[in-house]
Amino acid sequence: MLQQLFNDMIKQDVKPFLSKRGFAKKSLNFNKITKSLIYMFNFQKSSGNSADNVMFYVNCGIYAAELAQIQSREILTAPQEAECHFRARIEQIVESVPDRFSITPDTNMDDLRKTLLSGLEEVIHFYDTMTSARSLVDYYTSGPFLHLGEESFHLLLQSNDVAAAKHYLKALQESTEQKSDGPYSKMNTRPSSINTEWNLISYKSA
Protein backbone atom coordinates (compact mmCIF):
# COMPACT_ATOMS: atom_id res chain seq x y z
CA MET A 1 0.00 0.00 0.00
CA LEU A 2 2.73 2.49 0.97
CA GLN A 3 4.80 1.50 -2.03
CA GLN A 4 1.78 2.31 -4.17
CA LEU A 5 1.58 5.76 -2.56
CA PHE A 6 5.19 6.32 -3.59
CA ASN A 7 4.51 5.10 -7.13
CA ASP A 8 1.42 7.29 -7.43
CA MET A 9 3.31 10.34 -6.17
CA ILE A 10 6.03 9.85 -8.78
CA LYS A 11 3.48 9.32 -11.56
CA GLN A 12 0.84 11.88 -10.61
CA ASP A 13 2.88 14.64 -8.97
CA VAL A 14 6.61 14.46 -9.71
CA LYS A 15 6.42 13.47 -13.37
CA PRO A 16 3.97 16.23 -14.44
CA PHE A 17 5.86 18.79 -12.35
CA LEU A 18 9.23 17.97 -13.92
CA SER A 19 7.83 17.38 -17.41
CA LYS A 20 6.60 20.97 -17.50
CA ARG A 21 10.16 22.03 -16.76
CA GLY A 22 11.72 20.00 -19.56
CA PHE A 23 12.64 16.77 -17.76
CA ALA A 24 11.95 13.36 -19.31
CA LYS A 25 11.31 10.32 -17.13
CA LYS A 26 13.03 6.96 -17.41
CA SER A 27 12.41 4.63 -14.49
CA LEU A 28 13.18 6.74 -11.41
CA ASN A 29 15.47 9.12 -13.30
CA PHE A 30 14.44 12.49 -14.75
CA ASN A 31 16.79 14.07 -17.30
CA LYS A 32 16.83 17.43 -19.03
CA ILE A 33 19.20 17.60 -21.99
CA THR A 34 20.61 20.91 -23.20
CA LYS A 35 23.34 21.75 -25.69
CA SER A 36 26.15 21.58 -23.16
CA LEU A 37 24.77 19.89 -20.02
CA ILE A 38 22.44 17.16 -18.84
CA TYR A 39 20.54 17.86 -15.62
CA MET A 40 19.25 14.98 -13.54
CA PHE A 41 17.04 14.00 -10.64
CA ASN A 42 17.27 10.44 -9.34
CA PHE A 43 14.83 9.00 -6.82
CA GLN A 44 16.64 6.35 -4.81
CA LYS A 45 14.62 4.01 -2.66
CA SER A 46 16.19 3.01 0.64
CA SER A 47 17.42 -0.54 1.11
CA GLY A 48 15.85 -0.43 4.57
CA ASN A 49 12.26 -0.12 3.35
CA SER A 50 9.53 -2.22 4.93
CA ALA A 51 5.79 -2.70 4.60
CA ASP A 52 5.11 0.16 7.02
CA ASN A 53 7.92 2.56 6.04
CA VAL A 54 8.94 3.50 2.49
CA MET A 55 11.97 5.79 2.48
CA PHE A 56 13.66 7.48 -0.45
CA TYR A 57 16.39 9.98 -1.29
CA VAL A 58 16.56 12.55 -4.08
CA ASN A 59 19.91 12.70 -5.85
CA CYS A 60 20.77 15.65 -8.07
CA GLY A 61 23.32 15.58 -10.86
CA ILE A 62 24.74 17.55 -13.78
CA TYR A 63 26.72 15.92 -16.57
CA ALA A 64 29.04 17.89 -18.88
CA ALA A 65 30.25 16.35 -22.14
CA GLU A 66 33.15 18.83 -22.24
CA LEU A 67 34.45 17.56 -18.89
CA ALA A 68 34.02 13.97 -20.05
CA GLN A 69 36.23 14.79 -23.04
CA ILE A 70 38.89 16.20 -20.72
CA GLN A 71 38.67 12.95 -18.75
CA SER A 72 39.12 11.01 -22.04
CA ARG A 73 35.85 9.23 -21.38
CA GLU A 74 33.04 8.23 -23.70
CA ILE A 75 30.44 10.97 -24.18
CA LEU A 76 27.19 9.72 -22.65
CA THR A 77 23.71 10.69 -23.78
CA ALA A 78 21.96 9.07 -20.82
CA PRO A 79 24.39 9.14 -17.88
CA GLN A 80 23.60 7.57 -14.55
CA GLU A 81 23.64 9.78 -11.46
CA ALA A 82 27.01 8.31 -10.41
CA GLU A 83 28.50 9.41 -13.75
CA CYS A 84 27.54 13.07 -13.33
CA HIS A 85 30.21 15.70 -12.78
CA PHE A 86 28.15 17.52 -10.18
CA ARG A 87 26.47 15.30 -7.60
CA ALA A 88 24.57 16.20 -4.46
CA ARG A 89 21.65 15.08 -2.37
CA ILE A 90 18.75 17.50 -2.49
CA GLU A 91 19.25 18.57 1.13
CA GLN A 92 22.77 19.74 0.28
CA ILE A 93 21.24 22.30 -2.06
CA VAL A 94 17.95 23.01 -0.29
CA GLU A 95 18.31 23.25 3.49
CA SER A 96 14.56 23.15 4.13
CA VAL A 97 14.09 19.57 2.94
CA PRO A 98 14.92 16.43 4.96
CA ASP A 99 17.92 14.29 4.12
CA ARG A 100 15.53 11.39 3.61
CA PHE A 101 11.83 11.30 2.78
CA SER A 102 9.64 8.75 4.50
CA ILE A 103 6.13 7.45 3.83
CA THR A 104 4.46 5.75 6.79
CA PRO A 105 0.80 5.09 7.67
CA ASP A 106 0.83 8.45 9.53
CA THR A 107 2.40 10.51 6.75
CA ASN A 108 0.45 13.52 5.51
CA MET A 109 0.96 13.03 1.78
CA ASP A 110 -0.12 16.58 0.94
CA ASP A 111 2.62 17.97 3.17
CA LEU A 112 5.19 15.56 1.76
CA ARG A 113 4.30 16.46 -1.83
CA LYS A 114 4.47 20.16 -1.05
CA THR A 115 7.90 19.83 0.58
CA LEU A 116 9.24 17.62 -2.21
CA LEU A 117 8.00 19.74 -5.11
CA SER A 118 9.19 22.93 -3.44
CA GLY A 119 12.62 21.36 -3.02
CA LEU A 120 12.72 20.27 -6.66
CA GLU A 121 11.81 23.80 -7.72
CA GLU A 122 14.69 25.26 -5.72
CA VAL A 123 17.14 22.78 -7.22
CA ILE A 124 15.95 23.75 -10.69
CA HIS A 125 16.68 27.38 -9.82
CA PHE A 126 20.16 26.24 -8.81
CA TYR A 127 20.47 24.31 -12.09
CA ASP A 128 19.58 27.53 -13.94
CA THR A 129 22.81 29.05 -12.61
CA MET A 130 24.81 26.14 -14.05
CA THR A 131 24.77 26.68 -17.79
CA SER A 132 28.08 25.20 -18.97
CA ALA A 133 31.07 23.10 -18.01
CA ARG A 134 32.77 26.32 -16.96
CA SER A 135 29.90 26.96 -14.52
CA LEU A 136 30.64 23.64 -12.83
CA VAL A 137 34.34 24.45 -12.75
CA ASP A 138 33.66 27.87 -11.26
CA TYR A 139 31.48 26.23 -8.59
CA TYR A 140 34.19 23.78 -7.57
CA THR A 141 37.07 26.22 -7.82
CA SER A 142 35.25 28.74 -5.64
CA GLY A 143 35.25 26.24 -2.74
CA PRO A 144 37.87 25.31 -3.49
CA PHE A 145 36.57 21.73 -3.57
CA LEU A 146 38.90 18.91 -4.57
CA HIS A 147 36.32 17.13 -6.73
CA LEU A 148 37.14 17.56 -10.44
CA GLY A 149 40.36 19.29 -9.45
CA GLU A 150 42.37 18.13 -12.43
CA GLU A 151 39.48 18.50 -14.88
CA SER A 152 38.81 22.04 -13.64
CA PHE A 153 42.47 22.93 -14.01
CA HIS A 154 42.56 21.59 -17.57
CA LEU A 155 39.42 23.45 -18.60
CA LEU A 156 40.76 26.73 -17.24
CA LEU A 157 43.94 26.25 -19.25
CA GLN A 158 42.01 25.32 -22.38
CA SER A 159 40.05 28.54 -21.93
CA ASN A 160 43.39 30.40 -21.77
CA ASP A 161 42.43 31.63 -18.32
CA VAL A 162 45.94 31.13 -16.93
CA ALA A 163 45.40 33.55 -14.05
CA ALA A 164 42.37 31.60 -12.83
CA ALA A 165 44.24 28.31 -13.24
CA LYS A 166 47.16 29.63 -11.19
CA HIS A 167 44.83 30.95 -8.48
CA TYR A 168 42.97 27.63 -8.34
CA LEU A 169 46.20 25.65 -8.15
CA LYS A 170 47.32 27.67 -5.14
CA ALA A 171 43.93 27.29 -3.44
CA LEU A 172 43.88 23.58 -4.23
CA GLN A 173 47.32 23.11 -2.70
CA GLU A 174 46.24 24.90 0.46
CA SER A 175 43.00 22.95 0.62
CA THR A 176 44.84 19.65 0.19
CA GLU A 177 47.26 20.51 2.96
CA GLN A 178 44.35 21.28 5.29
CA LYS A 179 42.52 18.12 4.19
CA SER A 180 39.50 20.26 3.38
CA ASP A 181 36.99 18.74 1.01
CA GLY A 182 33.51 19.22 -0.39
CA PRO A 183 30.72 16.92 -1.60
CA TYR A 184 32.09 13.86 -3.41
CA SER A 185 35.51 15.48 -3.34
CA LYS A 186 37.70 12.42 -2.97
CA MET A 187 37.27 11.38 -6.59
CA ASN A 188 39.33 12.35 -9.63
CA THR A 189 41.81 14.45 -7.69
CA ARG A 190 45.53 14.23 -8.40
CA PRO A 191 47.16 17.47 -7.16
CA SER A 192 50.65 16.13 -7.88
CA SER A 193 49.89 15.73 -11.59
CA ILE A 194 48.40 19.23 -11.68
CA ASN A 195 51.61 20.60 -10.17
CA THR A 196 53.67 18.75 -12.75
CA GLU A 197 51.65 20.09 -15.66
CA TRP A 198 51.71 23.63 -14.31
CA ASN A 199 55.49 23.45 -13.95
CA LEU A 200 55.78 22.32 -17.58
CA ILE A 201 53.53 25.14 -18.77
CA SER A 202 55.46 27.69 -16.72
CA TYR A 203 58.75 26.35 -18.14
CA LYS A 204 57.54 26.55 -21.76
CA SER A 205 56.20 30.07 -21.31
CA ALA A 206 59.35 31.35 -19.57
Side-chain angles (χ1 to χ4, degrees), residues 2 5 9 101-116:
L2 296 182
L5 288 176
M9 181 184 66
F101 292 88
S102 180
I103 301 175
T104 70
D106 299 324
T107 297
N108 184 316
M109 291 301 297
D110 288 336
D111 288 345
L112 189 151
R113 280 189 287 266
K114 182 178 179 180
T115 300
L116 175 59

Side-chain angles (χ1 to χ4, degrees), residues 59-84:
N59 301 313
C60 309
I62 305 176
Y63 176 86
E66 186 174 358
L67 292 177
Q69 287 180 318
I70 291 175
Q71 294 170 320
S72 298
R73 294 181 180 176
E74 178 185 0
I75 305 301
L76 304 177
T77 57
Q80 297 298 309
E81 183 269 335
E83 296 168 316
C84 288

Side-chain angles (χ1 to χ4, degrees), residues 137-146 168 171 175 180:
V137 167
D138 288 343
Y139 172 82
Y140 281 114
T141 57
S142 67
F145 300 130
L146 302 183
Y168 178 51
S175 181
S180 172

Side-chain angles (χ1 to χ4, degrees), residues 4 14 23 28 31 42 45 50 59 82 84 107 113 125 133 138 142-143 152 167 174 185 200 204-205:
Q4 189 59 47
V14 174
F23 288 81
L28 291 177
N31 289 357
N42 164 258
K45 290 187 285 187
S50 62
N59 301 313
C84 288
T107 297
R113 280 189 287 266
H125 290 324
D138 288 343
S142 67
S152 297
H167 176 77
E174 293 174 352
S185 64
L200 287 173
K204 290 178 180 178
S205 61

Side-chain angles (χ1 to χ4, degrees), residues 1 3-4 27 33 51 53 64-65 67 74 88-89 99 112-113 134 150 171 178 195-196 198 200:
M1 177 180 175
Q3 179 61 50
Q4 189 59 47
S27 187
I33 301 175
N53 191 4
L67 292 177
E74 178 185 0
R89 286 267 169 83
D99 58 354
L112 189 151
R113 280 189 287 266
R134 179 59 188 263
E150 187 168 357
Q178 297 169 4
N195 277 312
T196 299
W198 176 258
L200 287 173

